[in-house]
Amino acid sequence: TLVQGADFYSTPRFSPSGESIAYQVWNHPDMSWQSSELHIAPVTIGIDEGLGLGEDKIITWDDHEVSVGYPQWLDKDNLVFICDDIGYLNPRIYHLPEGTHKALLPSPTSQDFSGIAWRLGGSPYAILRTPTGEAESIVFSAYHQGRIALHLYDLASKTLLPVEHPFVEVACLRGTSSSSIVCIATTTTSSQAVVSLSLSRSATDPKKVSILYRVLKSSMETLSFPAGIISQPIPLTLDIDDEPVHIVLYLPANPSYDGPDNEAEKPPCVVNVHGGPTTYADQGLHWEKQYYTSRGWAWYV
């Protein structure tokens, strides 16, 4: 046993040198995304005592509680983590020798750079390293308008660049080289798959980052359907009682059939209420929705 006393511990991460360990802590009645702490402790190794931890440091905010999570070490002195101190989950960096932390990005971004940590083992970003292990850049995933955006953060220039990609869901990012990652990705027309992404910058536009991707393993074998039978998600925002309500609409889609000529007649509709309040309706391919839309039903969630 290395440490005990709190209700929950998660995400232990040893520094590259093995001299330090970071881990997340939280206690009842809070969930980890409501209020949590990031601890950093020196690692000790004794002949008789074995592996142990020295006195830990707690990354704190004096004026309010925050949620912290997903720590990853850049090197032996610098730790990246995700925090909601600005109201959105943005990345920060902790400098171990000085015991200080600051925002990693040059300016706050109105996107959440991670989802709610309902499960252990998540990885919403990947550190890209040279063959010698030096961190060069970070690929972040972020929630934007109901889909996942990808960003490349250059550690040398401290710039955040958007990454063009065809996916609506991207999860479990792992760096494999200085310019590539593997992840789980989904499109509006294909099921979840393990995908390898190679990133490259444009020679003519240094602010443009594009990808080449290769499917390593799909969760479902390729099925042959006629073109146009898969209904595409349409994100909408409704005004109900002066409050915005965000929905995703799927219209009936089947190239072999058409609706009545009477435009006033609406198709039947499935109204699907997703679980909440800490989850959302993703726009990846779901065959249950397509079962109904291919048979003349609309679906919104």
Side-chain angles (χ1 to χ4, degrees), residues 145 147 233-237 247-249 283:
Q145 297 180 347
R147 299 189 176 195
I234 304 172
L236 300 170
T237 300
I247 70 168
V248 181
L249 173 65
Q283 298 174 34

Side-chain angles (χ1 to χ4, degrees), residues 75-108:
D75 50 45
K76 68 181 184 66
D77 290 332
N78 294 285
L79 181 76
V80 174
F81 61 98
I82 305 295
C83 177
D84 67 352
D85 63 309
I86 65 168
Y88 287 90
L89 288 156
N90 273 207
R92 296 186 70 85
I93 186 168
Y94 179 84
H95 188 55
L96 185 60
E98 296 178 0
T100 59
H101 58 90
K102 62 181 180 180
L104 181 68
L105 305 181
S107 59

Side-chain angles (χ1 to χ4, degrees), residues 88-274:
Y88 287 90
L89 288 156
N90 273 207
R92 296 186 70 85
I93 186 168
Y94 179 84
H95 188 55
L96 185 60
E98 296 178 0
T100 59
H101 58 90
K102 62 181 180 180
L104 181 68
L105 305 181
S107 59
T109 302
S110 300
Q111 297 179 19
D112 285 316
F113 279 64
S114 74
I116 298 301
W118 273 109
R119 300 175 179 86
L120 300 177
S123 179
Y125 64 95
I127 298 174
L128 305 186
R129 301 181 182 275
T130 66
T132 59
E134 182 181 357
E136 278 193 339
S137 56
I138 306 175
V139 178
F140 287 104
S141 62
Y143 292 84
H144 181 60
Q145 297 180 347
R147 299 189 176 195
I148 295 297
L150 292 179
H151 304 283
L152 179 67
Y153 180 76
D154 186 276
L155 290 165
S157 63
K158 295 181 170 53
T159 55
L160 187 71
L161 304 175
V163 178
E164 296 181 354
H165 67 93
F167 307 108
V168 292
E169 290 293 303
V170 181
C172 300
L173 284 67
R174 299 287 191 274
T176 53
S177 75
S178 61
S179 61
S180 62
I181 66 170
V182 293
C183 59
I184 297 175
T186 314
T187 72
T188 60
T189 58
S190 62
S191 301
Q192 275 190 342
V194 178
V195 178
S196 173
L197 277 63
S198 297
L199 293 83
S200 60
R201 297 197 190 187
S202 170
T204 57
D205 185 356
K207 294 184 178 181
K208 184 178 181 180
V209 181
S210 58
I211 66 163
L212 293 175
Y213 73 91
R214 179 167 56 96
V215 176
L216 303 179
K217 179 66 176 178
S218 176
S219 63
M220 193 171 187
E221 62 181 87
T222 303
L223 301 176
S224 178
F225 286 106
I229 202 170
I230 295 180
S231 179
Q232 293 296 302
I234 304 172
L236 300 170
T237 300
L238 308 180
D239 187 353
I240 300 179
D241 296 331
D242 296 325
E243 293 289 340
V245 176
H246 306 291
I247 70 168
V248 181
L249 173 65
Y250 296 81
L251 295 174
N254 192 318
S256 299
Y257 297 92
D258 200 357
D261 293 333
N262 181 11
E263 295 183 358
E265 185 174 347
K266 305 298 183 183
C269 182
V270 176
V271 180
N272 176 234
V273 181
H274 69 76

